Amino acid sequence: RDSATALMQMRELIDVLIPRGGKGLIRACVENAKVPCIQTGTGICHIYVDKAADVAMALDIVDNAKMSRPSVCNACEVCLVHKDVAADFLPRLKARLCENRAVTAELRLDERAAAIIDGIAASDTDFDTEFLNYILAVGVVADVREAVEHIALHSTHHSDAIITKNAQNAAYFTAAVDSAAVYVNASTRFTDGGEFGLGCEMGISTQKLHARGPM
């Protein structure tokens, strides 16, 4: 760690730092680096299931985003569901992720979700946690605007997605969510150099300046 700190301060030798690792390494670079630093990594990624979502598609996408490889930064950590479809969607989500499969998920539910399905009550920190595990925080929202507000409060600006057949809601979501990658009807797991056809990435920038996303 001492040698890493020394590297962070070698402005005469190093042009830019791209920390590849956990949030501790990224925080150390932000706090100690004198060399310019591109922040990467931490992903509290959201999927919002809209009132106008194709439910079968939404289940497939959440399954892929959470269960295919939960230990990576582009895995989904939070699923938000429109209140008008929550009573139908949440039991199907629980059956999909928590029953009759070799590895099951644990759902952390806000009060509105817990009124519909059984699960563990979400703590004050669950919607701000990168679980990197088979754990999914689940919340119910009134509409796309509340979903965007929730993401603005809790997102790490990595990757967020809306599942909807409503073009107006999709347009609002993509314009209003300030993340490196914003998807319509696609999994957050697409935020990957290989998936983008760019080859292996050295990091995924979550800063506000170009370049954002896989590098």
Side-chain angles (χ1 to χ4, degrees):
R1 294 191 178 193
D2 289 342
S3 62
T5 301
L7 280 172
M8 295 174 198
Q9 300 177 359
M10 291 181 176
R11 296 179 64 183
E12 71 281 5
L13 297 175
I14 299 173
D15 295 316
V16 65
L17 291 169
I18 305 175
R20 172 94 176 183
K23 67 174 86 174
L25 172 64
I26 296 166
R27 183 169 55 250
C29 286
V30 171
E31 293 174 354
N32 299 312
K34 294 181 180 179
V35 176
C37 177
I38 297 176
Q39 293 173 240
T40 73
T42 306
I44 300 178
C45 301
H46 299 72
I47 292 179
Y48 165 58
V49 180
D50 188 39
K51 178 180 179 180
D54 179 319
V55 172
M57 175 192 290
L59 290 169
D60 285 343
I61 289 173
V62 176
D63 190 340
N64 174 270
K66 177 75 266 181
M67 305 298 286
S68 64
R69 193 179 172 200
S71 61
V72 290
C73 61
N74 60 13
C76 176
E77 304 290 13
V78 179
C79 180
L80 302 173
V81 183
H82 192 290
K83 64 180 179 61
D84 289 354
V85 297
D88 174 54
F89 181 77
L90 289 179
R92 296 171 69 174
L93 179 69
K94 182 180 179 183
R96 180 69 173 262
L97 301 187
C98 306
E99 301 170 10
N100 301 317
R101 57 191 304 158
V103 179
T104 58
E106 177 182 297
L107 304 182
R108 306 276 180 90
L109 310 174
D110 75 357
E111 289 186 7
R112 288 179 283 188
I116 299 170
I117 58 172
D118 294 330
I120 297 172
S123 71
D124 292 339
T125 61
D126 279 337
F127 287 93
D128 298 294
T129 299
E130 187 182 29
F131 296 112
L132 302 176
N133 204 341
Y134 293 101
I135 301 170
L136 181 67
V138 179
V140 176
V141 294
D143 53 24
V144 65
R145 292 183 179 274
E146 186 178 336
V148 168
E149 290 170 2
H150 185 284
I151 291 168
L153 286 173
H154 301 281
S155 173
T156 54
H157 309 291
H158 191 296
S159 302
D160 299 292
I162 181 174
I163 316 303
T164 188
K165 294 183 286 186
N166 183 303
Q168 184 176 355
N169 287 351
Y172 174 77
F173 187 91
T174 54
V177 172
D178 179 21
S179 293
V182 183
Y183 297 102
V184 178
N185 297 330
S187 171
T188 56
R189 294 277 283 118
F190 273 107
T191 307
D192 174 83
E195 294 291 347
F196 282 8
L198 302 174
C200 181
E201 84 270 357
M202 67 180 77
I204 294 177
S205 173
T206 55
Q207 294 182 169
K208 294 183 181 298
L209 295 177
H210 182 77
R212 299 185 83 181
M215 297 175 292

